[in-house]
Amino acid sequence: MNADNITLSKRILSIDILRGLVMIIMALDHTRDFFHVGAMTGDPLNPDTTTGLLFFTRWITHFCAPTFVFLSGLSAYLSAQNKTAAQASSFLLKRGLWLILIEIVVITFGLTFNPAYNFIILQVIWAIGTSMIFLGLASRISYKIVLITGLILVFGHNFFNLFPAPADSNGGLILKIFFTASGTVVPLSANHFVGVFYAILPWTGVMFVGYGVGAWYRKGYAADHRQRNLLIVGLLTIFVFISLRLVNIYGDPVPRKEYHDFFKNVLTFFNVNKYPPSLQYIAMTLGPAMLFLAFTEKLSNRFTRITSVYGAVPFFYYVLHFYLLHTLLIVVFFATGHNTKEIVQVPFLFRPATFGFSLPIVYLIWLCVVATLYLPCRWFKRYKETHRQWWLRYV
């Protein structure tokens, strides 16, 4: 999902480490969706019904999408340093359109395995693609416009939660798609629907902020200044999250609930809104992400070398892991005694609502899937380093 086409010798390792780590964690959530017994029937973040491990399994993956989008913006800035403003803008526009097409055709099929495309799913790739289109337009104006617009969107989009949606259906739908989507289903026909699960502009704000932070990684910028900036801004961002969560007035569409139970109060404190990504959600996730970048600037060991492989080819990994998970799901579906009458489910084929396993089995499947993808990712990373075909810039 990164926008740059920088070879390993020119890559910034800390970015690939962070991106690779969240790619690995991301696969845990999708493994839970496909294989956990309660994934289709319960809310893992509901303090009233969840367990500590189940809550953590879902919550830790909250860090993935914001980090993807943030680093996509950062990488877009780095990629633009080797292009004219017109070239950089054109590339972002074309790549954004291409990502939207991939979301509709490739990712939707990987998720559903439904060749009729009865339910098209628009998630993070859709958000990145549309945001890249806006970034391609805004970056032609100026770097400051991008950064200021990003901050306004991140800090201000929750104001839309304070006002009722427009009464007319078209106005309400536009507001949902651009600002407040939390599972908006748009009918195309009696049997075909589009599910908009990622509102566009809050994620655009995250990408624009990432683009702004990219200036700290430009050639000639002192590493110690970059680390200091990341540390200060990361801590301030965490402070914003804690402050807004305690005040409990603004920054999340659902006010924090108070319980007469310490454990449930801890869970509800961190149970912020992802759909759409609230200010509190963005602050909770991007603050630690920036601290991670600061502390891994010069870090190199076996673990970071492994995670950076996934981070160097995130889009390749992202597509493959869906197809691997869903193929494995079919094998397990039939191996556990399910028949062809149970194949057709909405929206995922081969995924009955009552199907699944306990969390330890889910974790085992997740680790096996991530390990299986390591060698293909390492091969593709090396291929990108040694080849210059035009299409490699888009994957």
Side-chain angles (χ1 to χ4, degrees), residues 14 29 40 50 54 78 91 110 153 159 168-169 175 207 215 230 254 295-296 315 321-322 335-336 375 382:
S14 59
D29 192 43
M40 298 291 110
T50 192
L54 180 57
L78 295 178
F91 174 76
L153 288 173
F159 278 111
D168 65 290
S169 58
L175 179 65
M207 179 176 284
L230 288 168
V254 181
F295 290 126
T296 57
F315 184 79
H321 97 283
F322 276 127
T336 52
L375 289 180
R382 291 175 177 174

Side-chain angles (χ1 to χ4, degrees), residues 100-121:
I100 294 172
L101 178 64
I102 290 295
E103 179 81 299
I104 294 171
V105 178
V106 179
I107 305 301
T108 290
F109 185 76
L111 280 166
T112 66
F113 269 24
N114 182 352
Y117 288 90
N118 295 100
F119 198 93
I120 295 172
I121 300 174

Side-chain angles (χ1 to χ4, degrees), residues 115-334:
Y117 288 90
N118 295 100
F119 198 93
I120 295 172
I121 300 174
L122 301 181
Q123 297 190 107
V124 69
I125 300 298
W126 145 265
I128 292 176
T130 52
S131 296
M132 279 189 174
I133 292 172
F134 288 127
L135 180 58
L137 298 173
S139 62
R140 287 290 296 268
I141 303 173
S142 75
Y143 164 85
K144 288 184 178 180
I145 288 295
V146 172
L147 180 57
I148 292 171
T149 302
L151 291 173
I152 291 173
L153 288 173
V154 167
F155 280 91
H157 77 273
N158 281 127
F159 278 111
F160 285 94
N161 301 124
L162 305 177
F163 305 99
D168 65 290
S169 58
N170 290 333
L173 180 61
I174 291 172
L175 179 65
K176 288 179 180 179
I177 291 175
F178 279 91
F179 284 102
T180 64
S182 59
T184 302
V185 177
V186 181
L188 300 179
S189 69
N191 299 311
H192 290 82
F193 305 87
V194 176
V196 184
F197 297 101
Y198 276 58
I200 297 173
L201 292 182
W203 294 105
T204 300
V206 173
M207 179 176 284
F208 279 25
V209 171
Y211 186 91
V213 170
W216 298 342
Y217 285 86
R218 68 181 183 271
K219 185 177 180 181
Y221 199 92
D224 57 335
H225 290 170
R226 174 169 58 249
Q227 288 178 277
R228 182 193 61 194
N229 291 348
L230 288 168
L231 183 62
I232 293 172
V233 175
L235 290 173
L236 285 174
T237 304
I238 294 173
F239 176 77
V240 168
F241 161 67
I242 294 173
S243 300
L244 289 174
R245 204 66 182 148
L246 290 173
V247 173
N248 203 26
I249 295 176
Y250 178 77
D252 199 87
V254 181
R256 176 172 53 85
K257 188 176 179 180
E258 295 281 357
Y259 290 90
H260 297 291
D261 181 292
F262 175 76
F263 181 64
K264 289 183 178 180
N265 279 328
V266 171
L267 297 187
T268 195
F269 188 86
F270 292 100
N271 185 20
V272 288
N273 203 68
K274 179 182 179 180
Y275 303 103
S278 68
L279 171 57
Q280 293 180 24
Y281 170 87
I282 293 169
M284 180 187 75
T285 53
L286 289 190
M290 284 187 274
L291 294 184
F292 187 94
L293 287 173
F295 290 126
T296 57
E297 179 84 21
K298 299 178 181 178
L299 184 64
S300 179
N301 53 46
R302 182 173 177 79
F303 176 75
T304 60
R305 287 191 292 272
I306 291 173
T307 54
S308 66
V309 169
Y310 298 103
V313 289
F315 184 79
F316 179 79
Y317 170 94
Y318 185 78
V319 173
L320 281 189
H321 97 283
F322 276 127
Y323 281 82
L324 178 57
L325 280 170
H326 214 142
T327 301
L328 183 59
L329 175 66
I330 295 174
V331 173
V332 175
F333 174 87
F334 287 112

